[in-house]
């Protein structure tokens, strides 16, 4: 699949097509909408160490870090927590495939539950507040209400693990629940607030990227004024239905670029982002109301499409008669996107 990769010499980000093999991770360039036949590079997994979650880059919270036995660092970015965890699990399995004892230890650590002795919640909160290494606070919108200085449940779980307060997501959720019970953090928004009413203590805190929380101390200033909100906040406030990397044909130069697509409902919009850029702002997007979407045949190049593309194309025509040509990585992925978008048109 597609993943942004940070370069070694010039520390910029490029999107590459990754293929995981038993002992190596290959990555390819995409030119003209088609994968090049020879890999651009490879990451040898023997002796590799993996860090996930990796929070070394503030603007890129969904990173996987691979350090080879020659001490070369590779940073790979995913578009969702679920995708990141899936890649990390598969890569970890490949790294330890020849070492069954390490695999057993990995499963033991993952399934065990033992909080650090004499753990101090005050110390955790103090670290969370740290301006350089603490948890990143962001603005969010939920059910029309605007909040600033919030963080998601999954972001807190990632932060607790990366700072060695917990070794598994289950432990981190338990710690986060304790922080909530002791009135250090509080839920904001419908999803996280409703979870607190659960009779099961393990379900009161949500390890979820749509559940919002904030410091209790910040609760008095949790709403932002209209002047601070970007002009397009309404179209970016919808519930995320689906996200992932797709290849899109440009309108003017007709070249093909990998973009991160985010599909939202209520209101229904499809936005796309440049995953090589540091800011998390869309470079384009459009309302899905009145749009037409259809798959394109793979035999030959359809009219309006330039370049020697790989196939798995679909087209979206907006109500303003703007044509978007998009390429998925497989037929199954194309079907998934079409089925997700159609009900929102």
């Amino acid at each position: 699949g597609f993943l942004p990769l940070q370069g070694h010499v010039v520390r910029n980000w490029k999107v590459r097509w990754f293929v995981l093999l038993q002992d190596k991770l290959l990555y390819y360039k995409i030119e003209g909408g088609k994968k090049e036949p020879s890999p651009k590079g490879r990451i040898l997994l023997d002796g590799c160490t993996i860090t996930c979650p990796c929070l070394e880059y503030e603007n890129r919270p969904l990173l996987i870090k691979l350090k080879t036995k020659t001490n070369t660092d590779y940073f790979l970015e995913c578009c969702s927590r679920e995708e990141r965890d899936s890649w990390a699990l598969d890569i970890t399995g490949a790294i330890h495939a020849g070492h069954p004892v390490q695999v057993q230890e990995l499963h033991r650590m993952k399934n065990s539950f033992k909080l650090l002795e004499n753990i101090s919640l005050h110390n955790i909160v103090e670290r969370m507040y740290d301006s350089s290494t603490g948890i990143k606070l962001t603005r969010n919108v939920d059910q029309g209400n605007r909040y600033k200085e919030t963080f998601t449940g999954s972001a807190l779980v990632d932060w607790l693990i990366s700072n060695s307060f917990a070794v598994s997501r289950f432990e981190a959720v338990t710690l986060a629940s304790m922080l909530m019970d002791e009135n250090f953090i509080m839920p904001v928004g419908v999803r996280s607030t409703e979870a607190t009413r659960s009779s099961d203590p393990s379900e009161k805190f949500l390890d979820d990227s749509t559940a919002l929380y904030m410091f209790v101390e910040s609760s008095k200033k949790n709403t932002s004024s209209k002047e601070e909100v970007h002009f397009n906040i309404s179209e970016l406030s919808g519930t995320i239905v689906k996200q992932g990397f797709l290849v899109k044909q440009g309108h003017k130069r007709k070249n093909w670029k990998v973009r991160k697509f985010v599909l939202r409902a209520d209101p229904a919009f499809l936005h796309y982002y440049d995953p090589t850029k540091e800011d998390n702002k869309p470079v384009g997007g459009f309302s899905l109301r009145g749009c037409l979407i259809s798959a394109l045949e793979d035999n030959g190049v359809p009219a309006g499409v330039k370049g020697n593309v790989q196939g798995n194309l679909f087209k979206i025509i907006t109500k303003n008669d703007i044509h978007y040509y998009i390429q998925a990585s497989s037929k199954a992925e194309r079907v998934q996107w079409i089925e997700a978008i159609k009900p929102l048109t």
Side-chain angles (χ1 to χ4, degrees):
F2 290 113
L3 295 172
L5 169 72
Q6 188 186 58
H8 295 303
V9 182
V10 181
R11 309 297 278 182
N12 57 353
W13 294 83
K14 298 288 186 182
V15 180
R16 298 290 183 244
W17 176 261
F18 280 82
V19 177
L20 177 61
L21 303 179
Q22 188 173 359
D23 59 345
K24 64 178 74 73
L25 192 57
L26 304 178
Y27 53 93
Y28 298 78
K29 284 183 69 175
I30 301 292
E31 287 294 336
K34 191 171 185 179
K35 176 175 73 71
E36 291 191 340
S38 300
K40 176 74 175 175
R42 67 194 67 214
I43 304 171
L44 299 178
L45 297 178
D46 181 42
C48 221
T49 58
I50 182 170
T51 302
C52 178
C54 171
L55 304 181
E56 292 190 22
Y57 290 87
E58 183 178 296
N59 292 332
R60 296 180 181 271
L62 297 172
L63 289 179
I64 297 171
K65 179 182 178 181
L66 295 174
K67 181 185 282 291
T68 68
K69 64 180 180 182
T70 58
N71 289 324
T72 303
D73 291 340
Y74 291 88
F75 292 92
L76 316 177
E77 185 180 31
C78 300
C79 66
S80 68
R81 180 173 60 85
E82 293 75 18
E83 184 192 48
R84 180 201 62 192
D85 292 349
S86 177
W87 269 104
L89 185 63
D90 290 340
I91 293 171
T92 302
I95 290 172
H96 297 304
H99 307 281
V101 175
Q102 291 184 2
V103 174
Q104 290 176 7
E105 177 66 14
L106 190 72
H107 284 292
R108 188 194 65 77
M109 285 184 63
K110 184 178 179 181
N111 298 323
S112 68
F113 173 60
K114 182 182 178 183
L115 289 174
L116 297 174
E117 293 183 8
N118 302 320
I119 195 161
S120 168
L121 297 181
H122 288 277
N123 179 42
I124 293 176
V125 173
E126 191 175 311
R127 290 273 298 278
M128 288 174 66
Y129 269 112
D130 190 282
S131 58
S132 58
T133 60
I135 192 163
K136 184 183 178 185
L137 303 177
T138 59
R139 292 183 180 134
N140 282 286
V141 178
D142 183 272
Q143 300 284 313
N145 295 315
R146 300 183 180 95
Y147 304 98
K148 60 181 181 179
E149 297 186 345
T150 63
F151 47 87
T152 66
S154 58
L156 178 53
V157 170
D158 287 348
W159 185 89
L160 289 168
I161 295 173
S162 66
N163 284 272
S164 302
F165 288 114
V167 298
S168 69
R169 303 196 80 81
F170 181 63
E171 289 186 20
V173 167
T174 303
L175 262 181
S177 300
M178 292 166 63
L179 290 171
M180 198 161 57
D181 290 341
E182 296 298 321
N183 210 32
F184 288 109
I185 64 172
M186 61 182 283
V188 290
V190 175
R191 184 151 166 68
S192 55
T193 302
E194 286 183 348
T196 60
R197 303 189 184 102
S198 171
S199 57
D200 187 345
S202 66
E203 296 177 359
K204 290 183 181 296
F205 180 89
L206 299 178
D207 178 8
D208 192 292
S209 59
T210 64
L212 301 179
Y213 299 88
M214 69 189 310
F215 292 114
V216 170
E217 293 296 318
S218 304
S219 61
K220 293 180 181 179
K221 49 180 180 178
N222 65 359
T223 56
S224 59
S225 65
K226 291 183 179 179
E227 291 76 22
E228 293 177 309
V229 179
H230 295 297
F231 70 94
N232 59 355
I233 190 68
S234 60
E235 65 184 68
L236 293 172
S237 65
T239 302
I240 294 178
V241 176
K242 186 175 178 60
Q243 55 187 329
F245 295 112
L246 298 167
V247 190
K248 173 187 167 294
Q249 180 177 266
H251 291 304
K252 295 179 180 178
R253 296 178 59 193
K254 304 299 182 184
N255 56 347
W256 292 87
K257 297 286 187 182
V258 178
R259 294 291 181 249
K260 174 185 173 181
F261 279 79
V262 178
L263 176 63
R264 294 181 173 90
D266 301 321
F269 273 83
L270 184 64
H271 292 96
Y272 49 94
Y273 300 71
D274 185 345
T276 67
K277 302 296 183 186
E278 290 299 328
D279 60 2
N280 191 31
K281 297 178 181 177
V283 294
F286 49 91
S287 170
L288 290 171
R289 295 301 180 197
C291 283
L292 298 174
I293 181 170
S294 60
L296 299 178
E297 295 297 330
D298 289 340
N299 51 346
V301 180
V305 173
K306 304 293 183 182
N308 186 20
V309 296
Q310 213 148 279
N312 307 313
L313 289 163
F314 62 96
K315 178 171 69 171
I316 301 176
I317 306 175
T318 70
K319 63 180 180 182
N320 298 325
D321 200 34
I322 299 174
H323 293 226
Y324 289 87
Y325 295 95
I326 302 169
Q327 185 177 179
S329 61
S330 67
K331 284 184 171 61
E333 186 183 45
R334 176 173 65 180
V335 170
Q336 290 169 9
W337 274 99
I338 291 174
E339 290 181 348
I341 291 172
K342 262 189 178 177
L344 302 177
T345 61

